Amino acid sequence: MPRAGGVYAAPPGTKGNPNTTIESAKYNALVDDLVADANAARPVTAGGSGSSTAVGAADNFSPAGSDMASAATVNLANATGTLINITGTVTITALGTVAAGAERDLVFAASLTLTHNATSLILPGGANIQTAAGDVARMKSLGGGNWRCLSYQRASGAPLAIAASSTIATPTLTLKQSAAPTPTAEGDVRGISTTTSC
């Protein structure tokens, strides 16, 4: 008998009655049903993957969820999937409490502010992020209501802004020229000066 909502139910009429003979047809039907269920893909709601293939199982474990509206706390514990479309423009300062290690992909539908917090909402560069429609963030729960943004991809392809207090070291490339170029341990690039006559 097929499962309903992941819950197994024995075929009707298979339970025995006290002080009566067990009917072989009903008994065999129950055994056949149990064998079929044991060999079928176990639903996610029953602790299985819901699929007989690895790819199908992975897809079942990372479904898209319903949209969630932006708010000071977007409680990802209430998400219906691991891919969530965040609607609205309200500033987000927290993501709720989910078991440590859980990951969620957030797709923003509009411009809003993600507020950096060194403990509860750790963002790249240690600075707030102004989202835009189509931006995607991968968040990892650290437990206890704390989250870290593992990656942030702008829809425009532009990089995140660097905090004003940050500095970038600029590498220097020195080109040297000599009549007899030789390789150096420091990795200098040397060239040969040539003159062409016509």
Side-chain angles (χ1 to χ4, degrees):
M1 180 166 202
R3 287 175 175 259
V7 177
Y8 176 82
T14 55
K15 286 193 173 181
N17 295 315
N19 302 316
T20 60
T21 303
I22 296 174
E23 296 179 42
S24 61
K26 290 180 180 178
Y27 174 80
N28 291 338
L30 173 60
V31 170
D32 291 343
D33 198 58
L34 290 171
V35 169
D37 183 71
N39 290 316
R42 182 85 49 220
V44 174
T45 54
S49 70
S51 176
S52 58
T53 68
V55 172
D59 291 344
N60 290 339
F61 287 140
S62 54
S66 301
D67 292 359
M68 296 184 78
S70 60
T73 298
V74 175
N75 191 354
L76 295 181
N78 297 330
T80 58
T82 57
L83 175 65
I84 303 121
N85 190 47
I86 304 294
T87 63
T89 58
V90 177
T91 294
I92 297 174
T93 59
L95 298 175
T97 302
V98 177
E103 292 185 7
R104 301 290 183 267
D105 291 319
L106 309 181
V107 180
F108 298 94
S111 177
L112 59 82
T113 302
L114 288 174
T115 305
H116 170 74
N117 180 288
T119 302
S120 60
L121 190 54
I122 306 166
L123 301 176
N128 295 351
I129 296 174
Q130 191 68 35
T131 72
D135 286 4
V136 179
R138 171 160 285 189
M139 300 292 189
K140 188 176 192 82
S141 172
L142 305 176
N146 301 319
W147 292 81
R148 177 182 293 276
C149 180
L150 299 181
S151 65
Y152 192 93
Q153 178 64 51
R154 292 199 179 279
S156 66
L160 287 174
I162 297 171
S165 61
S166 300
T167 58
I168 297 178
T170 304
T172 302
L173 175 64
T174 304
L175 297 176
K176 296 182 179 180
Q177 182 175 356
S178 69
T182 56
T184 65
E186 294 79 18
D188 289 346
V189 177
R190 297 180 181 270
I192 300 173
S193 176
T194 59
T195 303
T196 303
S197 300
C198 293

